Amino acid sequence: MDAVLERCAGLDVHQETVVACVISGPLDRKPQQEIRTFGTTTKELLQLSDWLTDMKCSHVAMESTGVYWKAVWNVLEGSFTLVLGNAKKIRNVPGRKTDVKDAAWIASLLRCGLIESSFVPPVDIRDLRDLTRYRRKLKGQVTSEKNRIHKILQDANIKLTTYVSDLFGKSGLALLEAIVNGEVLDTDSVKNMVFSQLKKKVPDLIEALNGRVRAHHRFMIGRHLEHLRQVEEHIEFLQGEIDRMLKPYREEIDLLITIPGIQEDAAASILAEIGVDMSVFPSENHLASWATVCPGNNESAGKSRSSKTNKGNKGLKAVLCQVAWAASKTKSTRIAAFYSRVVKRRGPKKAAVATAHLILKICYIMLRDKTTYQELGWDYLQTKEKGLDYWVSKIKSLGYSIQIQDAHSA
């Protein structure tokens, strides 16, 4: 392997220690190694930074195992060219394994330029990513609490969901609070609690509320409602912080929400995962590969077999699939047309991932060129009647030879 760096370092990072190996020497000769072990407190990491500076290291590589690399990255960022490698891709050959050998192996790969750097966004994007991921978790908790309340109502034989489409709207919450408080619900009281079209369903609501509610049911519903309100308050406060951090990126957000299926929350999540600088990805295909929304490759002996996509960025992939489902319901859009074509032969799940792949590539081009979304319409893929050259090549691909002759001259 040809060396490309004269002085570089490899770090084997753990929770309590960091083993550092510095390799130095001319590119055409065997390099020298120097190894030291440091702790992971801020004071010791600063000592690591000073030592790497004294050794005149220009590049430093480490594995992305767990979250332990983040503390080291935060201290060394700005002083060196940092490379974060995927632990699965830079794994050493089987054999005697020690922390010292791991650090030396990482340094050797870095010296030869064989470590593909993982994408690490700037600090503000990393902070925004934490907020959007936490918001997604909290929204999942809201859904879980609502599902638990639905389950308890069925256990108590309360059939409100038969007549109330939104149980957690203004009318539904009023009825739930009345159940928790053990109020006697008659026609007049229920009529004062509900609004809009539900006033016409008061007799049905009275019948639906006639169940077998025990004190246990009231207690559980009350706990779930209280927790639901607390989580919703946290989401509201979190949303304010996200909006504050998105102010410098309003232009990019306004571009993304022009894509069918993408709203404000989804645009913020996508931006937090991929950032705004598309130069870190050589092309839209590289970005799709990083997000693992592109087809997997499984080829052997010249034959391609079906392959699943890798795990990749779970948060980004989930948001893109959610956007794809929403975009598939739109009318007269190219994204809905694409989904409709794929779902007929691949099924809804694979069609959703394929549509997510298309949407991510569109996002890449829009953020790279700072252009708005251009709608091509439902029939943008309809081509003209296939010409003679197409059918000739098609017949030849099947193993036949063909000779073209004018029918009039025959």
Side-chain angles (χ1 to χ4, degrees):
M1 296 183 294
D2 296 331
V4 295
L5 296 174
E6 290 188 352
R7 288 180 177 270
C8 60
L11 306 181
D12 187 30
V13 182
H14 301 277
Q15 181 179 2
E16 298 180 357
T17 60
V18 178
V19 180
C21 175
V22 174
I23 292 182
S24 61
L27 300 179
D28 56 347
R29 296 182 183 178
K30 184 177 180 180
Q32 297 180 348
Q33 293 184 359
E34 185 170 347
I35 297 175
R36 289 191 184 182
T37 301
F38 299 86
T40 55
T41 62
T42 303
K43 178 181 178 181
E44 291 173 301
L45 290 179
L46 289 173
Q47 293 176 358
L48 168 63
S49 178
D50 294 338
W51 180 65
L52 294 175
T53 302
D54 294 338
M55 297 297 294
K56 299 180 180 180
C57 283
S58 59
H59 292 68
V60 179
M62 65 190 82
E63 289 182 346
S64 60
T65 307
V67 296
Y68 301 134
W69 64 271
K70 292 185 177 181
V72 182
W73 186 282
N74 293 334
V75 173
L76 300 182
E77 189 176 17
S79 301
F80 309 93
T81 300
L82 300 181
V83 178
L84 182 66
N86 190 326
K88 184 179 180 181
K89 295 182 179 180
I90 63 175
R91 184 179 301 172
N92 200 351
V93 294
R96 291 176 293 178
K97 182 181 181 302
T98 64
D99 295 340
V100 172
K101 289 186 176 181
D102 285 346
W105 174 254
I106 296 173
S108 300
L109 292 178
L110 178 62
R111 177 177 168 85
C112 298
L114 296 178
I115 298 181
E116 183 180 357
S117 180
S118 299
F119 170 57
V120 180
V123 176
D124 55 342
I125 297 295
R126 297 204 296 265
D127 294 342
L128 180 62
R129 177 185 289 183
D130 290 338
L131 293 175
T132 54
R133 289 181 177 180
Y134 185 41
R135 180 181 61 183
R136 185 174 182 84
K137 288 290 185 182
L138 291 181
K139 288 187 175 181
Q141 292 183 19
V142 168
T143 303
S144 297
E145 290 298 333
K146 290 181 178 180
N147 289 338
R148 293 187 182 102
I149 293 175
H150 279 290
K151 183 179 179 180
I152 293 173
L153 290 177
Q154 294 301 321
D155 185 52
N157 202 27
I158 301 296
K159 301 298 183 178
L160 275 179
T161 52
T162 304
Y163 304 100
V164 182
S165 59
D166 184 9
L167 185 60
F168 299 94
K170 189 174 182 180
S171 301
L173 286 176
L175 294 173
L176 289 176
E177 291 289 350
I179 293 174
V180 172
N181 297 330
E183 300 178 12
V184 177
L185 298 174
D186 53 17
T187 302
D188 294 334
S189 60
V190 171
K191 194 172 184 178
N192 292 330
M193 293 180 187
V194 298
F195 303 89
S196 180
Q197 298 296 321
L198 285 178
K199 289 186 178 294
K200 301 178 182 179
K201 302 180 181 179
V202 171
D204 295 328
L205 293 176
I206 294 293
E207 187 66 25
L209 289 166
N210 184 19
R212 297 295 181 91
V213 182
R214 296 184 282 114
H216 171 71
H217 296 143
R218 296 191 181 96
F219 175 80
M220 292 299 295
I221 294 175
R223 296 302 91 201
H224 290 315
L225 285 176
E226 183 178 353
H227 188 213
L228 179 62
R229 285 190 290 265
Q230 291 175 351
V231 176
E232 287 178 340
E233 290 177 0
H234 290 323
I235 293 176
E236 184 178 357
F237 185 80
L238 195 65
Q239 185 62 51
E241 183 65 14
I242 292 174
D243 293 338
R244 184 188 66 81
M245 296 193 67
L246 283 176
K247 288 182 179 179
Y249 306 108
R250 283 312 314 175
E251 180 184 359
E252 288 79 8
I253 293 294
D254 292 339
L255 290 176
L256 291 178
I257 61 178
T258 60
I259 302 175
I262 296 184
Q263 297 181 349
E264 187 87 12
D265 290 354
S269 298
I270 293 173
L271 192 71
E273 297 296 339
I274 68 176
V276 295
D277 182 15
M278 294 296 101
S279 63
V280 297
F281 301 102
S283 68
E284 63 271 23
N285 294 324
H286 285 81
L287 175 59
S289 177
W290 175 79
T292 64
V293 291
C294 59
N297 290 328
N298 183 11
E299 182 179 347
S300 180
K303 296 181 179 179
S304 297
R305 298 176 177 86
S306 176
S307 178
K308 296 181 180 179
T309 59
N310 295 324
K311 294 181 180 179
N313 190 319
K314 296 179 180 179
L316 177 59
K317 192 172 184 179
V319 171
L320 289 173
C321 289
Q322 182 180 357
V323 169
W325 284 114
S328 67
K329 306 301 180 182
T330 57
K331 296 181 179 179
S332 302
T333 64
R334 61 168 294 198
I335 297 178
F338 177 84
Y339 176 87
S340 179
R341 285 174 45 247
V342 178
V343 72
K344 296 176 183 177
R345 51 190 173 85
R346 303 298 289 174
K349 292 185 178 180
K350 291 185 178 180
V353 176
T355 307
H357 182 197
L358 172 64
I359 293 174
L360 183 59
K361 293 171 71 174
I362 294 174
C363 292
Y364 173 90
I365 295 174
M366 290 173 58
L367 292 176
R368 182 194 64 188
D369 301 337
K370 296 293 187 294
T371 58
T372 58
Y373 175 75
Q374 302 294 326
E375 181 55 61
L376 303 179
W378 178 274
D379 56 350
Y380 81 105
L381 281 179
Q382 290 187 2
T383 57
K384 299 180 181 179
E385 185 178 354
K386 294 181 175 63
L388 179 63
D389 293 339
Y390 171 82
W391 295 112
V392 170
S393 61
K394 188 69 174 178
I395 294 174
K396 288 183 178 180
S397 67
L398 297 176
Y400 299 97
S401 61
I402 183 173
Q403 183 177 1
I404 307 299
Q405 184 176 0
D406 191 351
H408 298 289
S409 60

